[in-house]
Amino acid sequence: MFVYLSEQNMPYLPLIISIKLIGFLIILAIAKNNKKKIRTNNKEA
């Protein structure tokens, strides 16, 4: 499926997919950091 789509005149498709993956990883990292901050705030309170 992926190869078929990229063979059509869509050279940007792999780039878009990689950008979405990178964005998803960044969101996950931010979410993990926010959870850590919430836990430290609860301990301080």
Side-chain angles (χ1 to χ4, degrees), residues 19-30:
I19 288 169
K20 284 183 179 179
L21 281 173
I22 292 164
F24 182 69
L25 288 174
I26 290 167
I27 289 165
L28 276 180
I30 291 167

